[in-house]
Amino acid sequence: NNNNNNNNNNSHHDDDKKYSIHLGSQLLKGTLVTEIGLLPNMIELDLSVNQLTGRIPSEIGLLDGTKSILLNNNIFTHSIPSEIGSLGSLEILNLENNILMGSIPSEIGNLGKLRVIDIGRNRLEGTIPIQMSNLLLLEFLSGENNYLIAPIPSELGLLGKMTGLRLGENLLTGTLTSELMELTTLKYLDLQNAGLYGTIPWDQLARMTNLELLVLQNNALSGMLSSTLEAMTSLIQLGLSSNLLRGSIPSEIGFITNLMYMDLSWNLLSGSIPSTILNLSKLNILYLQENNSLCGILEDICDTVPDLTIRPQKW
């Protein structure tokens, strides 16, 4: 009897054991079986960069102790199961680069511990659920290269821990709302080809002093560049091409001394290129082509920064 009791105790201890599955980049093929739901003690599931196909089974919602699910870079199809909203311990969800279709389930807003979600490079459609504004611990949201429509919910401006927002290459529309500009913790903001129009709220953008990447190209944004750019001293990449920006390039742009890439091409800019651009010693790429009539110090720039690639008006 004592031996039986010991065996039962050991069995119960094994049932409570936590474990992870790391099978990324293993050339795996086949489908994700429904039995995946029988592994409630799994902490991490990494099946990324394989050749898995079929749907993500709804039974994945039974993994209530799982903190990280990486299914990116596979060939999963069908919709994201709404049951994924039951994963109360989930912190990281990466479904990027599959062939997932349908809408983003609003139940994702129930994932109160979620810090990272990447659902980019799929075939998702519909709107971005307002419920995602409930994810108060969220630091990174990527939904780029889908078929998402309608404006970006202004409620996302409540996500005060957000450092990365990538929603470009969608069928979105709308303006850069003041609520969205409350994300002053952002380091990366990529909204290229997102159907944006109206003016750029430079005064609010200038408060994003941690911003390293600002990509707003291929929209219909209008107005002028602002002298408040000088406050964005952390900026490394600035992409504003293919908009309706007019006026001159402000001299204050020379204060963004960490800038390595700047694309102002295909706008309506005019006037002299400010000599302060010579202060940008880290600048590698400068695109200025196809504007109204920019002129100035291009040869001096080439002499000062010999590795610089420049595409001015006409070369």
Side-chain angles (χ1 to χ4, degrees), residues 148-161:
L148 301 174
I149 61 170
I152 301 169
S154 58
E155 289 83 356
L156 293 186
L158 298 172
L159 304 180
K161 294 184 180 295

Side-chain angles (χ1 to χ4, degrees), residues 48-97:
S48 61
V49 197
N50 283 294
Q51 300 173 41
L52 300 174
T53 58
R55 68 172 68 243
I56 299 172
S58 59
E59 287 79 3
I60 204 168
L62 299 175
L63 304 178
D64 53 5
T66 305
K67 295 183 178 182
S68 174
I69 295 179
L70 309 180
L71 301 179
N72 52 291
N73 297 84
N74 279 286
I75 319 172
F76 287 114
T77 54
H78 298 84
S79 59
I80 300 173
S82 60
E83 289 82 359
I84 216 161
S86 301
L87 303 178
S89 299
L90 197 63
E91 298 178 9
I92 299 173
L93 176 62
N94 193 340
L95 305 177
E96 182 205 11
N97 199 20

Side-chain angles (χ1 to χ4, degrees), residues 145-193:
N145 287 87
N146 280 291
Y147 300 101
L148 301 174
I149 61 170
I152 301 169
S154 58
E155 289 83 356
L156 293 186
L158 298 172
L159 304 180
K161 294 184 180 295
M162 185 89 78
T163 60
L165 179 62
R166 295 179 181 270
L167 293 172
E169 303 292 345
N170 275 290
L171 303 176
L172 300 166
T173 186
T175 61
L176 290 169
T177 63
S178 58
E179 292 86 356
L180 201 59
M181 294 298 100
E182 291 297 319
L183 298 173
T184 54
T185 54
L186 281 179
K187 290 185 177 180
Y188 313 104
L189 178 59
D190 184 350
L191 298 176
Q192 62 179 305
N193 196 19

